Amino acid sequence: MSGRVFLFGDDIDTDQLAPGQYMKGGIAALAAHCLEGVRPDFAGSVASGDVVVAGKNFGMGSSREQAAEALKHLGVAGVVALSFAGIFYRNAINLGLPVLTAPSLADLADGERVTLDLDTGRLERAGEKPALPLDPLPDNLKALLADGGLVPHLKKRFAQERQKEQGR
Amino acid sequence: MTASPTTLAQKIVARAAGRASVAPGEIVTARVDLAMIHDSGGPRRVEPILQDLGVGLFDASKVVLISDHFVPGDTDEGARILELTRQWAAQRKVAFHDGEGICHVVLPERGHLAPGMLVVGGDSHSPTGGAFGAYMFGVGATEMAGVLATGEIWLKVPETILIEWRGRLSDGVTAKDIMLALCGRLGMDGGKYQAVEYTGEAIAALSMQERMTLSNMAAELGGQAGLIAPDEVTAAFLREAGSDPAGWGDWRGLRTDPGAPLMEHHVFAAGELAPQVAAPHSPANSGPVDDAPQTKVDVAYLGACTGAKYQDLANAARILKGRRVASGVELLVAPASRRDQDRAARDGIMAVLEDAGAKLLPNACGICAGYGSARLGEDVTCISSTARNFKGRMGAASSKVWLGSPLTVAASAVAGRITDPRPMLTEGAGGTA
């Protein structure tokens, strides 16, 4: 599924992704205010398949996983950044939101059409532009994403363990 | 064969992963010695996931629950969340500290930590546990639910960034100043999710509560953990907290060997460090307080896990003794734990703060986490002893938060503007400031 690039700078923090004052409204209400401090039109215009592209240290700050959940709720296909804050990175994978680092963002432009391809580990670009290579994900994280996140992954694991128990 | 030199982080992770040794970059699955959760990201978020998975806790004796975010429960929502938290603690039979203070401070003061442990916390400032030689880091609620269900977590064996402070800090300069200087020099992704380890004479000379501030704010450097090798100071603190060194194993061996692989090694001269402040809206916007404009402040906040422990309150009292908060400035104090507040009361510190005009808030995260009735209003300028000054975090998006040490916060409250605490220390109590 293809979408547009939403381009951001460095150090996008969790208070921007999931502003504290909207926490009590539930994920839909919270997502409606996602990133409004840096880009007021974001939640209103982002659509399924769009890709958030950012500079260094995306998701710094709090451990609140609503920061990743809000992006997923808005249909974001994934986040490509030069680097991620560790807890956000783990939260995103655990919630099934692809997050990939890129050695460089080349000349990616805001609004250009792209497709995040997890199989090839590349961000395909429309037109004649060469695809942007992304750093490969470790195998354990690929498995988590393939299952749709940690909860479905654990369900699968527990089911397998129960089957093994019964098979004995 | 002699084992190759390894870092403190490698030693802890190897043991938790059941391995003789691990190499940086390897992905391992580790057994968790302890899981800490609080009222905000804890029961209300993890229980529905545990239900969905159809499993219970991996080991209730290895789970500690602390209420601190919604304390004192003065809103309908806060009261409801606290009630749910209390019910869960009783049902799941876990250790529970209710309204006793901020999780990062209560966990060690109640003897739950020991050197060499691998600990996961449901809060981003969980690296605080590293001050005790534990590899402790924060995770979100879904990952915490996974830990509670399995007792396991995956880790990429971290590289270590060694931060060495040689010499001794001057009077008036504290752990918070060290951290703000590091945030400014290394940046908020300076840690790149590695293990940050603090070492050197200046670190060894710090009290445990000062060390906790360093480890805590490894989160602000982008580190996964913030470690300090355990020593006699660590042992004395934990012994007093009720933890028995007999159960700690070879804790004296928990240190980075000479020649261990380091990703970076930074050396700083402690004696040259001046008090620091960080301008809005990032801890990385830091510099010496004397270089900062003498910004007028409306609110001075002594709070949070990095700014309202006993030591922090005692530091503030050194400035506030015999002085008054400037007119038009509100000094808010939220002692980090009830135990620290009681000790400060016994020592006359709370009386000094109150005589100076401080307004007391509950032992909780309070406005650092953006909660409570004291949240900052429109256009308010605050000097705060907290760890983080992101835009809008402590209140209105138009509010501005400067970070400083408890000494700097107290001095700024007295002066009504951001100021260097050192002259007030030399003038002594109630000088002509």
Side-chain angles (χ1 to χ4, degrees):
Chain A
M1 187 171 41
S2 85
R4 291 161 301 164
V5 164
F6 280 75
L7 196 60
F8 293 88
D10 295 342
D11 297 327
I12 297 294
D13 65 68
T14 49
D15 292 66
Q16 305 305 325
L17 287 158
Q21 71 258 45
Y22 305 112
M23 281 293 195
K24 57 179 76 165
I27 192 61
L30 188 64
H33 297 279
C34 181
L35 291 168
E36 71 180 7
V38 271
R39 186 163 179 169
D41 69 326
F42 177 74
S45 53
V46 74
S48 196
D50 288 346
V51 177
V52 166
V53 177
K56 287 188 297 180
N57 207 19
F58 188 88
M60 72 173 186
S62 164
S63 60
R64 64 179 72 154
E65 63 186 16
Q66 293 94 331
E69 202 181 356
L71 293 174
K72 203 181 172 205
H73 184 86
L74 293 169
V76 167
V79 186
V80 171
L82 291 176
S83 66
F84 288 92
I87 300 177
F88 174 86
Y89 184 85
R90 295 184 76 110
N91 284 342
I93 301 268
N94 284 324
L95 292 170
L97 175 72
V99 280
L100 292 112
T101 53
S104 133
L105 299 180
D107 58 345
L108 271 184
D110 193 66
E112 80 167 271
R113 290 209 76 83
V114 291
T115 308
L116 184 60
D117 189 330
L118 290 179
D119 292 331
T120 60
R122 300 195 309 184
L123 190 66
E124 305 292 346
R125 306 173 69 181
E128 300 298 298
K129 292 178 178 152
L132 188 77
L134 307 172
D135 298 327
L137 281 171
D139 289 343
N140 68 323
L141 301 190
K142 267 192 203 153
L144 273 172
L145 278 180
D147 288 345
L150 182 64
V151 171
H153 180 78
L154 284 177
K155 277 186 182 169
K156 196 166 120 183
R157 170 177 152 186
F158 292 152
Q160 281 166 352
E161 283 171 4
R162 274 191 286 268
Q163 241 174 17
K164 245 169 94 180
E165 291 279 310
Q166 284 161 2
R168 261 184 217 157
Chain B
M1 195 183 89
T2 333
S4 49
T6 52
T7 63
L8 170 56
Q10 279 173 280
K11 288 177 190 181
I12 301 175
V13 173
R15 190 201 52 78
R19 299 261 301 266
S21 67
V22 290
E26 263 188 276
I27 289 176
V28 298
T29 300
R31 294 296 301 170
V32 167
D33 295 301
L34 188 71
M36 177 192 79
I37 52 176
H38 57 51
D39 50 334
S40 180
R44 68 183 180 134
R45 302 239 183 265
V46 298
E47 181 59 26
I49 301 176
L50 291 172
Q51 299 267 347
D52 189 19
L53 292 172
V55 293
L57 301 179
F58 79 103
D59 184 346
S61 73
K62 292 182 176 173
V63 178
V64 178
L65 172 64
I66 296 168
S67 64
D68 57 7
H69 275 59
F70 291 96
V71 170
D74 49 3
T75 61
D76 288 351
E77 192 207 13
R80 190 180 53 77
I81 291 169
L82 288 177
E83 188 48 38
L84 186 148
T85 305
R86 289 172 189 135
Q87 284 173 4
W88 191 85
Q91 277 162 11
R92 294 293 193 177
K93 299 183 171 54
V94 301
F96 180 37
H97 300 287
D98 192 11
E100 292 172 21
I102 303 170
C103 60
H104 309 297
V105 178
V106 171
L107 192 74
E109 86 177 10
R110 300 289 163 152
H112 292 294
L113 287 181
M117 278 184 165
L118 185 95
V119 190
V120 176
D123 190 278
S124 63
H125 284 123
S126 297
T128 311
F132 302 89
Y135 197 95
M136 183 164 178
F137 59 101
V139 298
T142 298
E143 186 144 42
M144 179 55 80
V147 167
L148 295 178
T150 63
E152 291 175 355
I153 194 159
W154 70 268
L155 274 159
K156 184 172 172 185
V157 180
E159 306 231 36
T160 289
I161 296 178
L162 195 67
I163 296 182
E164 181 177 351
W165 285 82
R166 292 189 183 154
R168 299 292 282 258
L169 294 170
S170 326
D171 191 29
V173 183
T174 66
K176 176 58 68 61
D177 301 302
I178 287 183
M179 280 319 298
L180 293 178
L182 288 173
C183 289
R185 292 185 204 184
L186 303 178
M188 290 202 60
D189 62 345
K192 300 171 188 74
Y193 213 46
Q194 274 85 11
V196 173
E197 184 180 339
Y198 306 95
T199 182
E201 187 192 356
I203 309 301
L206 293 176
S207 70
M208 276 320 298
Q209 290 199 330
E210 281 283 272
R211 295 182 190 186
M212 286 161 71
T213 296
L214 297 183
S215 293
N216 177 299
M217 289 183 65
E220 266 56 58
L221 291 175
Q224 182 175 36
L227 300 168
I228 298 173
D231 60 12
E232 296 304 329
V233 177
T234 325
F237 182 103
L238 290 176
R239 214 177 275 126
E240 199 181 328
S243 177
D244 183 2
W248 299 350
D250 174 29
W251 63 275
R252 286 187 179 81
L254 285 174
R255 52 201 61 254
T256 291
D257 302 323
L262 299 176
M263 185 187 195
E264 290 170 20
H265 181 184
H266 301 277
V267 180
F268 299 98
E272 289 168 16
L273 187 69
Q276 306 278 308
V277 286
H281 299 284
S282 167
N285 291 339
S286 74
V289 62
D290 287 339
D291 293 356
Q294 294 225 333
T295 306
K296 266 184 63 102
V297 297
D298 307 299
V299 174
Y301 185 58
L302 286 170
C305 37
T306 64
K309 300 183 290 299
Y310 173 82
Q311 173 94 59
D312 301 318
L313 302 175
N315 282 349
R318 285 185 65 199
I319 297 283
L320 294 171
K321 193 171 174 58
R323 292 192 173 94
R324 290 277 311 168
V325 170
S327 94
V329 176
E330 196 173 23
L331 173 61
L332 303 173
V333 182
S337 78
R338 192 196 300 159
R339 201 172 267 194
D340 276 0
Q341 182 177 340
D342 289 347
R343 187 176 157 207
R346 281 196 303 276
D347 294 353
I349 288 165
M350 294 312 296
V352 168
L353 302 185
E354 286 174 61
D355 288 348
K359 188 180 153 200
L360 203 60
L361 299 177
N363 307 127
C365 300
I367 59 176
C368 175
Y371 300 136
S373 52
R375 271 170 60 87
L376 303 178
E378 297 293 341
D379 298 314
V380 164
T381 298
C382 174
I383 175 91
S384 175
S385 65
T386 53
R388 207 170 261 171
N389 59 343
F390 299 156
K391 190 175 179 184
R393 174 177 168 88
M394 284 171 56
S398 62
S399 62
K400 292 176 194 68
V401 178
W402 292 71
L403 301 178
S405 76
L407 287 167
T408 303
V409 169
S412 303
V414 169
R417 54 189 65 242
I418 292 171
T419 194
D420 190 330
R422 289 173 297 182
M424 288 193 203
L425 287 176
T426 19
E427 279 161 19
T432 51

